[in-house]
Amino acid sequence: MSQNLLLLFTRHPELGKCKTRLAKKIGDQKALSVYKYLLQHTANITKNIPVDKQVWYATQPVVNDIWDSNIYSKKAQQGKDLGERMAYAFAEGFRAGYDHIIIVGSDLFDISSVIIEEAFQKLKETDFVIGPAQDGGYYLLGMNTFRKEIFENKDWSTSTVFNDTLKSMEDKTVTLLETLNDIDEYEDMKDNTTLMNLL
């Protein structure tokens, strides 16, 4: 077992059930195509990172999908909101004996293996590492000790999440990563040639 654990939160790609805000502009089928592309990108850049990896599904885990069961353990998210679900996954990881745990979403075009590996390195020096997203949220969060308050009293999917999360870390050391663009709305992808070519 590695000392490091990477958590990936995902949703199985189903028509009409993913990238719903994006779908309002481009339609369900094209939104599904974009989502599938982003999932495959995340699988490609994470599969060879030398850490243990878990994929946490919003619904029940899927056996035969892009997440190779020989590389990724598969689990079902637990909790009423995103905060509870992330807290549960982190708590499970620390109970299993991991020292450094990082969570990322599974649909970020700009994420890379270099960014994730850098984040694990930074966790050897600081209590937390966080990657801010342009929309006011975050795309990556890492910690060395479980802190439940990081996930409590947050207005998830709003522009206040990143700043409110930083306030929950005020008494600890924090490494900030570069700001990246999260793909939730059409405006997030309209300047991205690769994604626009999927439409």
PDB file of all heavy atoms in Angstrom, residues 28-38 198-199:
ATOM      1  N   ASP A  28     -28.190  17.803 -24.582  1.00  0.00           N
ATOM      2  CA  ASP A  28     -27.751  16.656 -23.764  1.00  0.00           C
ATOM      3  C   ASP A  28     -26.699  15.797 -24.468  1.00  0.00           C
ATOM      4  O   ASP A  28     -25.733  15.352 -23.850  1.00  0.00           O
ATOM      5  CB  ASP A  28     -28.951  15.773 -23.398  1.00  0.00           C
ATOM      6  CG  ASP A  28     -29.858  16.428 -22.372  1.00  0.00           C
ATOM      7  OD1 ASP A  28     -29.399  17.352 -21.664  1.00  0.00           O
ATOM      8  OD2 ASP A  28     -31.029  16.015 -22.268  1.00  0.00           O
ATOM      9  N   GLN A  29     -26.885  15.545 -25.752  1.00  0.00           N
ATOM     10  CA  GLN A  29     -25.972  14.642 -26.457  1.00  0.00           C
ATOM     11  C   GLN A  29     -24.565  15.231 -26.546  1.00  0.00           C
ATOM     12  O   GLN A  29     -23.570  14.532 -26.294  1.00  0.00           O
ATOM     13  CB  GLN A  29     -26.492  14.340 -27.865  1.00  0.00           C
ATOM     14  CG  GLN A  29     -25.722  13.233 -28.572  1.00  0.00           C
ATOM     15  CD  GLN A  29     -25.818  11.897 -27.856  1.00  0.00           C
ATOM     16  OE1 GLN A  29     -26.905  11.372 -27.649  1.00  0.00           O
ATOM     17  NE2 GLN A  29     -24.676  11.342 -27.447  1.00  0.00           N
ATOM     18  N   LYS A  30     -24.462  16.499 -26.886  1.00  0.00           N
ATOM     19  CA  LYS A  30     -23.142  17.134 -26.988  1.00  0.00           C
ATOM     20  C   LYS A  30     -22.504  17.294 -25.604  1.00  0.00           C
ATOM     21  O   LYS A  30     -21.281  17.143 -25.459  1.00  0.00           O
ATOM     22  CB  LYS A  30     -23.257  18.478 -27.694  1.00  0.00           C
ATOM     23  CG  LYS A  30     -23.578  18.345 -29.176  1.00  0.00           C
ATOM     24  CD  LYS A  30     -23.724  19.694 -29.852  1.00  0.00           C
ATOM     25  CE  LYS A  30     -24.021  19.520 -31.340  1.00  0.00           C
ATOM     26  NZ  LYS A  30     -24.216  20.833 -32.023  1.00  0.00           N
ATOM     27  N   ALA A  31     -23.322  17.581 -24.601  1.00  0.00           N
ATOM     28  CA  ALA A  31     -22.797  17.668 -23.237  1.00  0.00           C
ATOM     29  C   ALA A  31     -22.237  16.324 -22.793  1.00  0.00           C
ATOM     30  O   ALA A  31     -21.202  16.260 -22.118  1.00  0.00           O
ATOM     31  CB  ALA A  31     -23.886  18.135 -22.279  1.00  0.00           C
ATOM     32  N   LEU A  32     -22.917  15.248 -23.183  1.00  0.00           N
ATOM     33  CA  LEU A  32     -22.425  13.903 -22.860  1.00  0.00           C
ATOM     34  C   LEU A  32     -21.091  13.633 -23.550  1.00  0.00           C
ATOM     35  O   LEU A  32     -20.176  13.050 -22.953  1.00  0.00           O
ATOM     36  CB  LEU A  32     -23.458  12.862 -23.270  1.00  0.00           C
ATOM     37  CG  LEU A  32     -23.095  11.400 -22.997  1.00  0.00           C
ATOM     38  CD1 LEU A  32     -22.930  11.148 -21.501  1.00  0.00           C
ATOM     39  CD2 LEU A  32     -24.173  10.466 -23.581  1.00  0.00           C
ATOM     40  N   SER A  33     -20.959  14.054 -24.787  1.00  0.00           N
ATOM     41  CA  SER A  33     -19.699  13.865 -25.523  1.00  0.00           C
ATOM     42  C   SER A  33     -18.551  14.613 -24.847  1.00  0.00           C
ATOM     43  O   SER A  33     -17.441  14.070 -24.709  1.00  0.00           O
ATOM     44  CB  SER A  33     -19.848  14.349 -26.962  1.00  0.00           C
ATOM     45  OG  SER A  33     -20.793  13.580 -27.666  1.00  0.00           O
ATOM     46  N   VAL A  34     -18.809  15.840 -24.420  1.00  0.00           N
ATOM     47  CA  VAL A  34     -17.785  16.615 -23.714  1.00  0.00           C
ATOM     48  C   VAL A  34     -17.411  15.928 -22.405  1.00  0.00           C
ATOM     49  O   VAL A  34     -16.227  15.788 -22.073  1.00  0.00           O
ATOM     50  CB  VAL A  34     -18.285  18.054 -23.442  1.00  0.00           C
ATOM     51  CG1 VAL A  34     -17.330  18.796 -22.505  1.00  0.00           C
ATOM     52  CG2 VAL A  34     -18.441  18.824 -24.744  1.00  0.00           C
ATOM     53  N   TYR A  35     -18.413  15.473 -21.674  1.00  0.00           N
ATOM     54  CA  TYR A  35     -18.158  14.819 -20.390  1.00  0.00           C
ATOM     55  C   TYR A  35     -17.330  13.554 -20.575  1.00  0.00           C
ATOM     56  O   TYR A  35     -16.367  13.299 -19.842  1.00  0.00           O
ATOM     57  CB  TYR A  35     -19.478  14.503 -19.699  1.00  0.00           C
ATOM     58  CG  TYR A  35     -19.311  13.969 -18.297  1.00  0.00           C
ATOM     59  CD1 TYR A  35     -18.652  14.709 -17.314  1.00  0.00           C
ATOM     60  CD2 TYR A  35     -19.804  12.720 -17.951  1.00  0.00           C
ATOM     61  CE1 TYR A  35     -18.490  14.214 -16.027  1.00  0.00           C
ATOM     62  CE2 TYR A  35     -19.657  12.224 -16.670  1.00  0.00           C
ATOM     63  CZ  TYR A  35     -18.999  12.975 -15.711  1.00  0.00           C
ATOM     64  OH  TYR A  35     -18.833  12.484 -14.445  1.00  0.00           O
ATOM     65  N   LYS A  36     -17.672  12.744 -21.574  1.00  0.00           N
ATOM     66  CA  LYS A  36     -16.913  11.516 -21.832  1.00  0.00           C
ATOM     67  C   LYS A  36     -15.458  11.832 -22.183  1.00  0.00           C
ATOM     68  O   LYS A  36     -14.537  11.125 -21.749  1.00  0.00           O
ATOM     69  CB  LYS A  36     -17.566  10.713 -22.963  1.00  0.00           C
ATOM     70  CG  LYS A  36     -18.824   9.990 -22.557  1.00  0.00           C
ATOM     71  CD  LYS A  36     -19.387   9.176 -23.730  1.00  0.00           C
ATOM     72  CE  LYS A  36     -20.578   8.338 -23.314  1.00  0.00           C
ATOM     73  NZ  LYS A  36     -21.118   7.552 -24.454  1.00  0.00           N
ATOM     74  N   TYR A  37     -15.259  12.889 -22.956  1.00  0.00           N
ATOM     75  CA  TYR A  37     -13.895  13.284 -23.304  1.00  0.00           C
ATOM     76  C   TYR A  37     -13.109  13.663 -22.051  1.00  0.00           C
ATOM     77  O   TYR A  37     -11.954  13.254 -21.874  1.00  0.00           O
ATOM     78  CB  TYR A  37     -13.900  14.458 -24.287  1.00  0.00           C
ATOM     79  CG  TYR A  37     -12.515  14.928 -24.664  1.00  0.00           C
ATOM     80  CD1 TYR A  37     -11.855  14.392 -25.769  1.00  0.00           C
ATOM     81  CD2 TYR A  37     -11.842  15.875 -23.892  1.00  0.00           C
ATOM     82  CE1 TYR A  37     -10.572  14.796 -26.097  1.00  0.00           C
ATOM     83  CE2 TYR A  37     -10.560  16.284 -24.212  1.00  0.00           C
ATOM     84  CZ  TYR A  37      -9.930  15.737 -25.313  1.00  0.00           C
ATOM     85  OH  TYR A  37      -8.650  16.136 -25.615  1.00  0.00           O
ATOM     86  N   LEU A  38     -13.736  14.447 -21.174  1.00  0.00           N
ATOM     87  CA  LEU A  38     -13.057  14.898 -19.957  1.00  0.00           C
ATOM     88  C   LEU A  38     -12.757  13.725 -19.022  1.00  0.00           C
ATOM     89  O   LEU A  38     -11.685  13.671 -18.398  1.00  0.00           O
ATOM     90  CB  LEU A  38     -13.910  15.948 -19.250  1.00  0.00           C
ATOM     91  CG  LEU A  38     -14.097  17.264 -20.007  1.00  0.00           C
ATOM     92  CD1 LEU A  38     -15.130  18.142 -19.300  1.00  0.00           C
ATOM     93  CD2 LEU A  38     -12.781  18.018 -20.146  1.00  0.00           C
ATOM     94  N   LEU A 198     -15.628  18.941 -30.496  1.00  0.00           N
ATOM     95  CA  LEU A 198     -16.506  17.812 -30.186  1.00  0.00           C
ATOM     96  C   LEU A 198     -17.963  18.116 -30.498  1.00  0.00           C
ATOM     97  O   LEU A 198     -18.800  17.217 -30.566  1.00  0.00           O
ATOM     98  CB  LEU A 198     -16.385  17.464 -28.691  1.00  0.00           C
ATOM     99  CG  LEU A 198     -15.015  17.004 -28.190  1.00  0.00           C
ATOM    100  CD1 LEU A 198     -15.035  16.871 -26.669  1.00  0.00           C
ATOM    101  CD2 LEU A 198     -14.628  15.675 -28.840  1.00  0.00           C
ATOM    102  N   LEU A 199     -18.269  19.398 -30.685  1.00  0.00           N
ATOM    103  CA  LEU A 199     -19.666  19.800 -30.865  1.00  0.00           C
ATOM    104  C   LEU A 199     -20.139  19.632 -32.313  1.00  0.00           C
ATOM    105  O   LEU A 199     -19.362  19.647 -33.225  1.00  0.00           O
ATOM    106  CB  LEU A 199     -19.836  21.255 -30.431  1.00  0.00           C
ATOM    107  CG  LEU A 199     -19.406  21.573 -29.004  1.00  0.00           C
ATOM    108  CD1 LEU A 199     -19.723  23.033 -28.672  1.00  0.00           C
ATOM    109  CD2 LEU A 199     -20.062  20.643 -27.999  1.00  0.00           C
TER     110      LEU A 199
END
